[in-house]
């Protein structure tokens, strides 16, 4: 769905947007796309080169999220990685393993505990990296959305990863792999769900922008861990994780005015940053490693982007 088409729908029928969101499940990919030509840093809506889009984004970002009644991931969340492609290196994998191992319990992920389900049960600040597997590239380097789902389901079918409805499976593609429905031009990542072997499983795509679209999807050099692709993927991973937890099936927490989920509200908004010894900007520390991670939308005490909660 293109941004302009979405606007047309918004003007025509608010209920249509809601229905489309719930039906399509997959988030509005454009919401996680930093317009090209914009340097690294905050997405500055006052100086965007497209004033109409800037005005629209401002309106969308000011609209509060509301609860639409669907399930929320209130059990401790497990992360499973699928390293896709043959160009992964251990330093890059370490950056992404470390954030998945330490984001749970952090003041940053605690933002998600302000979200709750129909029983008023809140998200818990617990995430574990429960497993990972590799796929050297059995479906080639240009993945369709269906291919990405197959990468996930085949990892489960083969026994490489368990079937787990309290997990989010992340397809982490290497720098040589792209996603044909719009990686780099429409989105940097996305999340969705499907029914598989009787379970509702959640999965996400996170692309590696290092050589394909560094400016569009936020890969800089220097980067906090000197792994530009993986450092950029860490923020995209966080975005998709927090959306999968609070809106796993696309019918829980989002804005009925814009379709935005929590991560979308604060995409490319980093808040206060510091400068690491290598000159890279960072704003979060997980374990002992530094990251530049977008803010997330907190519901309490009032709805806003935040770096941590409380
Ligand atoms: Zn999003």
């Amino acid at each position: 769905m293109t941004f302009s088409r979405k606007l047309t729908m918004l003007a025509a029928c608010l209920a249509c947007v809601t229905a489309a969101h719930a039906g399509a499940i997959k988030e509005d990919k454009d919401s996680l796309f930093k317009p090209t030509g914009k340097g690294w840093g905050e997405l500055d809506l006052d100086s965007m080169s497209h004033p109409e889009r800037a005005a629209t984004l401002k309106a969308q970002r000011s609209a509060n999220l509301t609860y639409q009644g669907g399930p929320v991931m209130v059990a401790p969340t497990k992360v499973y990685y699928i390293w896709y492609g043959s160009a992964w290196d251990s330093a890059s994998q370490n950056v992404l393993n470390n954030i998945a191992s330490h984001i749970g319990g952090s003041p940053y992920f605690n933002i998600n505990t302000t979200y709750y389900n129909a029983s008023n049960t809140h998200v818990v600040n617990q995430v574990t990296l429960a497993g990972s597997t590799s796929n050297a590239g059995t479906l080639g380097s240009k993945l369709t959305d269906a291919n990405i789902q197959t990468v996930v389901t085949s990892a489960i079918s083969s026994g490489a990863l368990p079937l787990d409805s309290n997990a989010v499976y992340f397809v982490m593609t290497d720098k040589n792999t792209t996603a044909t429905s719009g990686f780099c031009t429409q989105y940097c990542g996305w999340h969705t769900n499907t029914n598989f072997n009787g379970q509702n499983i959640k999965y996400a795509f996170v692309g590696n922008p290092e050589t394909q679209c560094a400016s569009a999807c936020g890969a800089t050099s220097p980067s906090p861990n000197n792994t530009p692709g993986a450092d950029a993927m860490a923020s995209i991973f966080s975005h998709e994780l927090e959306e999968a937890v609070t809106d796993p099936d696309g019918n829980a927490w989002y804005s009925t005015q814009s379709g935005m989920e929590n991560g979308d509200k604060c995409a490319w908004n980093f808040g206060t940053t510091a400068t690491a010894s290598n000159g890279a900007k960072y704003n979060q520390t997980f374990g002992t490693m530094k990251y530049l991670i977008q803010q997330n939308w907190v519901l309490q005490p009032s709805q806003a982007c935040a770096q941590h909660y409380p």
Side-chain angles (χ1 to χ4, degrees), residues 27 31 239-240 243 261 264:
E27 71 172 297
S31 61
H239 177 124
E240 302 306 335
E243 291 185 345
E261 299 170 306
D264 302 324

Side-chain angles (χ1 to χ4, degrees), residues 26 82 84 133-135 137-140 142-161 169-171 173 190 192-197 201-205:
K26 186 176 289 182
I82 303 169
Y84 187 91
T133 187
S134 294
N135 180 322
T138 52
L139 296 177
K142 296 178 169 57
L143 300 178
T144 64
D145 290 358
N147 289 155
I148 290 166
Q149 181 171 308
T150 298
V151 168
V152 175
T153 56
S154 62
I156 298 169
S157 296
S158 71
L161 296 176
Y169 300 85
F170 283 88
V171 178
T173 51
W190 46 257
T192 188
N193 73 318
T194 194
N195 290 312
F196 183 67
N197 286 358
I201 62 167
K202 277 66 74 173
Y203 66 97
F205 162 79

Side-chain angles (χ1 to χ4, degrees), residues 27-33 189-191 236 239-240 242-244 259-265 267 294:
E27 71 172 297
D28 174 13
K29 294 168 175 177
D30 284 343
S31 61
L32 184 49
F33 180 63
W190 46 257
H191 75 97
I236 303 165
H239 177 124
E240 302 306 335
E242 57 212 19
E243 291 185 345
M260 282 187 168
E261 299 170 306
N262 60 357
D264 302 324
K265 301 280 287 179
Q294 71 157 78

